[in-house]
PDB file of all heavy atoms in Angstrom:
ATOM      1  N   LEU A 393     -10.681  11.852  -7.824  1.00  0.00           N
ATOM      2  CA  LEU A 393     -11.069  12.970  -8.690  1.00  0.00           C
ATOM      3  C   LEU A 393     -10.009  14.066  -8.667  1.00  0.00           C
ATOM      4  O   LEU A 393      -9.729  14.685  -9.698  1.00  0.00           O
ATOM      5  CB  LEU A 393     -12.422  13.529  -8.249  1.00  0.00           C
ATOM      6  CG  LEU A 393     -13.641  12.657  -8.563  1.00  0.00           C
ATOM      7  CD1 LEU A 393     -14.893  13.229  -7.903  1.00  0.00           C
ATOM      8  CD2 LEU A 393     -13.845  12.540 -10.074  1.00  0.00           C
ATOM      9  N   ARG A 397      -8.100  15.470 -11.888  1.00  0.00           N
ATOM     10  CA  ARG A 397      -8.045  16.908 -12.180  1.00  0.00           C
ATOM     11  C   ARG A 397      -6.610  17.370 -12.388  1.00  0.00           C
ATOM     12  O   ARG A 397      -6.303  18.109 -13.334  1.00  0.00           O
ATOM     13  CB  ARG A 397      -8.677  17.674 -11.015  1.00  0.00           C
ATOM     14  CG  ARG A 397      -8.619  19.204 -11.156  1.00  0.00           C
ATOM     15  CD  ARG A 397      -8.805  19.859  -9.796  1.00  0.00           C
ATOM     16  NE  ARG A 397      -7.761  19.440  -8.850  1.00  0.00           N
ATOM     17  CZ  ARG A 397      -7.849  19.562  -7.526  1.00  0.00           C
ATOM     18  NH1 ARG A 397      -8.941  20.079  -6.983  1.00  0.00           N
ATOM     19  NH2 ARG A 397      -6.866  19.161  -6.743  1.00  0.00           N
ATOM     20  N   LEU A 406     -12.823  14.132 -18.794  1.00  0.00           N
ATOM     21  CA  LEU A 406     -12.922  12.979 -17.904  1.00  0.00           C
ATOM     22  C   LEU A 406     -14.208  12.238 -18.219  1.00  0.00           C
ATOM     23  O   LEU A 406     -15.285  12.849 -18.256  1.00  0.00           O
ATOM     24  CB  LEU A 406     -12.932  13.428 -16.442  1.00  0.00           C
ATOM     25  CG  LEU A 406     -13.259  12.356 -15.383  1.00  0.00           C
ATOM     26  CD1 LEU A 406     -12.182  11.275 -15.354  1.00  0.00           C
ATOM     27  CD2 LEU A 406     -13.418  13.000 -14.000  1.00  0.00           C
ATOM     28  N   ILE A 414     -20.176  13.238 -10.199  1.00  0.00           N
ATOM     29  CA  ILE A 414     -19.332  14.008  -9.287  1.00  0.00           C
ATOM     30  C   ILE A 414     -20.125  15.088  -8.567  1.00  0.00           C
ATOM     31  O   ILE A 414     -19.545  15.942  -7.890  1.00  0.00           O
ATOM     32  CB  ILE A 414     -18.146  14.635 -10.045  1.00  0.00           C
ATOM     33  CG1 ILE A 414     -18.648  15.654 -11.068  1.00  0.00           C
ATOM     34  CG2 ILE A 414     -17.302  13.559 -10.724  1.00  0.00           C
ATOM     35  CD1 ILE A 414     -17.529  16.431 -11.740  1.00  0.00           C
ATOM     36  N   LEU A 419     -15.064  18.573  -5.266  1.00  0.00           N
ATOM     37  CA  LEU A 419     -14.273  18.897  -6.450  1.00  0.00           C
ATOM     38  C   LEU A 419     -15.143  19.149  -7.683  1.00  0.00           C
ATOM     39  O   LEU A 419     -14.617  19.439  -8.758  1.00  0.00           O
ATOM     40  CB  LEU A 419     -13.277  17.777  -6.755  1.00  0.00           C
ATOM     41  CG  LEU A 419     -12.025  17.741  -5.863  1.00  0.00           C
ATOM     42  CD1 LEU A 419     -12.332  17.041  -4.546  1.00  0.00           C
ATOM     43  CD2 LEU A 419     -10.868  17.055  -6.561  1.00  0.00           C
ATOM     44  N   ALA A 420     -16.475  19.049  -7.532  1.00  0.00           N
ATOM     45  CA  ALA A 420     -17.368  19.200  -8.686  1.00  0.00           C
ATOM     46  C   ALA A 420     -17.189  20.559  -9.363  1.00  0.00           C
ATOM     47  O   ALA A 420     -17.324  20.680 -10.590  1.00  0.00           O
ATOM     48  CB  ALA A 420     -18.809  19.006  -8.248  1.00  0.00           C
ATOM     49  N   ALA A 421     -16.857  21.579  -8.581  1.00  0.00           N
ATOM     50  CA  ALA A 421     -16.704  22.923  -9.149  1.00  0.00           C
ATOM     51  C   ALA A 421     -15.530  23.024 -10.115  1.00  0.00           C
ATOM     52  O   ALA A 421     -15.458  23.971 -10.912  1.00  0.00           O
ATOM     53  CB  ALA A 421     -16.544  23.947  -8.021  1.00  0.00           C
ATOM     54  N   ASP A 422     -14.624  22.063 -10.059  1.00  0.00           N
ATOM     55  CA  ASP A 422     -13.462  22.083 -10.949  1.00  0.00           C
ATOM     56  C   ASP A 422     -13.762  21.497 -12.323  1.00  0.00           C
ATOM     57  O   ASP A 422     -12.905  21.537 -13.213  1.00  0.00           O
ATOM     58  CB  ASP A 422     -12.304  21.305 -10.317  1.00  0.00           C
ATOM     59  CG  ASP A 422     -11.805  21.955  -9.033  1.00  0.00           C
ATOM     60  OD1 ASP A 422     -11.920  23.186  -8.906  1.00  0.00           O
ATOM     61  OD2 ASP A 422     -11.315  21.219  -8.159  1.00  0.00           O
ATOM     62  N   PHE A 423     -14.960  20.934 -12.470  1.00  0.00           N
ATOM     63  CA  PHE A 423     -15.324  20.278 -13.721  1.00  0.00           C
ATOM     64  C   PHE A 423     -16.605  20.882 -14.287  1.00  0.00           C
ATOM     65  O   PHE A 423     -17.500  21.287 -13.553  1.00  0.00           O
ATOM     66  CB  PHE A 423     -15.549  18.774 -13.503  1.00  0.00           C
ATOM     67  CG  PHE A 423     -14.322  18.011 -13.103  1.00  0.00           C
ATOM     68  CD1 PHE A 423     -13.966  17.896 -11.765  1.00  0.00           C
ATOM     69  CD2 PHE A 423     -13.525  17.389 -14.057  1.00  0.00           C
ATOM     70  CE1 PHE A 423     -12.846  17.188 -11.384  1.00  0.00           C
ATOM     71  CE2 PHE A 423     -12.398  16.679 -13.689  1.00  0.00           C
ATOM     72  CZ  PHE A 423     -12.049  16.582 -12.349  1.00  0.00           C
ATOM     73  N   GLN A 424     -16.691  20.891 -15.599  1.00  0.00           N
ATOM     74  CA  GLN A 424     -17.900  21.301 -16.293  1.00  0.00           C
ATOM     75  C   GLN A 424     -18.508  20.074 -16.963  1.00  0.00           C
ATOM     76  O   GLN A 424     -17.807  19.297 -17.628  1.00  0.00           O
ATOM     77  CB  GLN A 424     -17.583  22.357 -17.361  1.00  0.00           C
ATOM     78  CG  GLN A 424     -18.791  22.774 -18.205  1.00  0.00           C
ATOM     79  CD  GLN A 424     -18.402  23.646 -19.385  1.00  0.00           C
ATOM     80  OE1 GLN A 424     -17.220  23.770 -19.685  1.00  0.00           O
ATOM     81  NE2 GLN A 424     -19.374  24.229 -20.056  1.00  0.00           N
ATOM     82  N   GLU A 425     -19.808  19.900 -16.794  1.00  0.00           N
ATOM     83  CA  GLU A 425     -20.472  18.756 -17.425  1.00  0.00           C
ATOM     84  C   GLU A 425     -20.580  18.978 -18.928  1.00  0.00           C
ATOM     85  O   GLU A 425     -21.030  20.024 -19.390  1.00  0.00           O
ATOM     86  CB  GLU A 425     -21.865  18.574 -16.822  1.00  0.00           C
ATOM     87  CG  GLU A 425     -22.585  17.338 -17.320  1.00  0.00           C
ATOM     88  CD  GLU A 425     -23.944  17.187 -16.650  1.00  0.00           C
ATOM     89  OE1 GLU A 425     -24.919  17.792 -17.159  1.00  0.00           O
ATOM     90  OE2 GLU A 425     -24.024  16.485 -15.616  1.00  0.00           O
ATOM     91  N   TYR A 433     -17.036  14.981 -18.481  1.00  0.00           N
ATOM     92  CA  TYR A 433     -16.804  16.279 -17.872  1.00  0.00           C
ATOM     93  C   TYR A 433     -15.543  16.890 -18.467  1.00  0.00           C
ATOM     94  O   TYR A 433     -14.690  16.191 -19.013  1.00  0.00           O
ATOM     95  CB  TYR A 433     -16.644  16.146 -16.355  1.00  0.00           C
ATOM     96  CG  TYR A 433     -17.797  15.433 -15.688  1.00  0.00           C
ATOM     97  CD1 TYR A 433     -17.813  14.033 -15.586  1.00  0.00           C
ATOM     98  CD2 TYR A 433     -18.868  16.150 -15.161  1.00  0.00           C
ATOM     99  CE1 TYR A 433     -18.876  13.377 -14.976  1.00  0.00           C
ATOM    100  CE2 TYR A 433     -19.930  15.499 -14.536  1.00  0.00           C
ATOM    101  CZ  TYR A 433     -19.932  14.111 -14.455  1.00  0.00           C
ATOM    102  OH  TYR A 433     -20.977  13.460 -13.865  1.00  0.00           O
ATOM    103  N   ARG A 434     -15.431  18.215 -18.293  1.00  0.00           N
ATOM    104  CA  ARG A 434     -14.243  18.919 -18.778  1.00  0.00           C
ATOM    105  C   ARG A 434     -13.666  19.734 -17.641  1.00  0.00           C
ATOM    106  O   ARG A 434     -14.409  20.362 -16.875  1.00  0.00           O
ATOM    107  CB  ARG A 434     -14.609  19.821 -19.957  1.00  0.00           C
ATOM    108  CG  ARG A 434     -13.413  20.227 -20.817  1.00  0.00           C
ATOM    109  CD  ARG A 434     -13.848  20.961 -22.066  1.00  0.00           C
ATOM    110  NE  ARG A 434     -12.737  21.115 -22.991  1.00  0.00           N
ATOM    111  CZ  ARG A 434     -12.811  21.795 -24.132  1.00  0.00           C
ATOM    112  NH1 ARG A 434     -13.935  22.382 -24.496  1.00  0.00           N
ATOM    113  NH2 ARG A 434     -11.743  21.881 -24.921  1.00  0.00           N
ATOM    114  N   VAL A 435     -12.364  19.742 -17.519  1.00  0.00           N
ATOM    115  CA  VAL A 435     -11.727  20.412 -16.389  1.00  0.00           C
ATOM    116  C   VAL A 435     -11.308  21.822 -16.777  1.00  0.00           C
ATOM    117  O   VAL A 435     -10.922  22.077 -17.919  1.00  0.00           O
ATOM    118  CB  VAL A 435     -10.505  19.606 -15.893  1.00  0.00           C
ATOM    119  CG1 VAL A 435      -9.339  19.701 -16.861  1.00  0.00           C
ATOM    120  CG2 VAL A 435     -10.085  20.059 -14.500  1.00  0.00           C
TER     121      VAL A 435
END
Side-chain angles (χ1 to χ4, degrees):
L393 287 172
R397 177 200 60 198
L406 170 65
I414 64 173
L419 283 82
D422 296 331
F423 294 88
Q424 176 189 11
E425 185 178 86
Y433 306 87
R434 199 172 191 184
V435 73

